[in-house]
Amino acid sequence: RQHAADHLDPVVQPPVAQRPSPATQREFAPRSAPAAIGQPGYAEAAAAYAATNQGNMAAALSHARSAANQAPLNLEYQRLLVYLLLENGHHGEAGERATRLERAEAFQSDSQWQKLRQTLSERLAWDHFHEAMQAQGRGDLAAALAQAEAGLQRMPQVAAHRVQILGILLLRQDYR
């Protein structure tokens, strides 16, 4: 079944192979409950891990927020919260929290954090891609171009963003 967005010309759909997959997400997802029984945030973090394991990401997010608020210096709880913000589609909030955490702590050598940060960047880029498509559908080509360029800045290695920009420029009859 085709969607109306499939018929917009010239709009490029993100290639399936380049979309973040749940399997990729699980590669760096928290795997077990925290070990500090009785510490602030422990019960909420344990509930968040349990809900994650059951696939109830909305409940997990609620518990992770509580754990992170109860123990703001616990990096595992903070990482869990960023992960669950991503899983629940709160990409902007995840990005803001990740940036604050990076300012406060050194994550450069943390491979799980780097993978999580990469996925966040990819999701934000695809958000720009889809916002550009929506703006183009409304006929707001200036906003569409701004969103497409923002997506390209986040993921310059993805050709779909460049093709989207070219399509918008053609529609604007802008032959730079």
Side-chain angles (χ1 to χ4, degrees):
R1 176 175 138 170
Q2 293 192 336
H3 299 282
D6 294 338
H7 301 289
L8 294 176
D9 190 41
V11 173
V12 177
Q13 297 294 327
V16 173
Q18 293 178 346
R19 293 182 192 154
S21 72
T24 301
Q25 285 301 103
R26 304 224 190 299
E27 177 179 310
F28 58 83
R31 290 179 177 83
S32 61
I37 295 174
Q39 295 296 317
Y42 172 80
E44 290 293 330
Y49 283 104
T52 300
N53 290 336
Q54 295 169 358
N56 187 346
M57 297 307 206
L61 175 58
S62 177
H63 290 295
R65 278 187 198 279
S66 294
N69 288 335
Q70 290 174 24
L73 299 178
N74 186 310
L75 296 181
E76 275 305 308
Y77 297 172
Q78 300 303 321
R79 181 193 332 253
L80 175 65
L81 178 55
V82 170
Y83 167 74
L84 288 167
L85 286 167
L86 273 173
E87 286 298 304
N88 282 277
H90 302 285
H91 304 159
E93 184 181 351
E96 291 168 11
R97 183 168 288 272
T99 299
R100 282 195 314 268
L101 288 170
E102 287 171 345
R103 285 186 193 134
E105 295 293 328
F107 287 103
Q108 289 76 17
S109 62
D110 186 332
S111 64
Q112 278 190 326
W113 181 259
Q114 295 305 320
K115 288 178 185 179
L116 184 60
R117 199 64 162 119
Q118 176 63 31
T119 297
L120 172 60
S121 184
E122 290 170 4
R123 294 224 184 147
L124 288 169
W126 288 121
D127 285 351
H128 287 297
F129 185 95
H130 292 291
E131 289 173 25
M133 286 175 45
Q134 291 173 350
Q136 183 178 337
R138 292 189 310 271
D140 187 351
L141 298 180
L145 184 59
Q147 288 295 330
E149 288 173 340
L152 178 64
Q153 286 178 345
R154 285 204 172 269
M155 290 179 59
Q157 73 279 13
V158 177
H161 296 290
R162 293 179 194 285
V163 173
Q164 185 181 46
I165 289 171
L166 289 173
I168 294 167
L169 290 173
L170 287 173
L171 286 173
R172 289 175 48 159
Q173 297 180 349
D174 183 347
Y175 306 111
R176 300 178 194 189

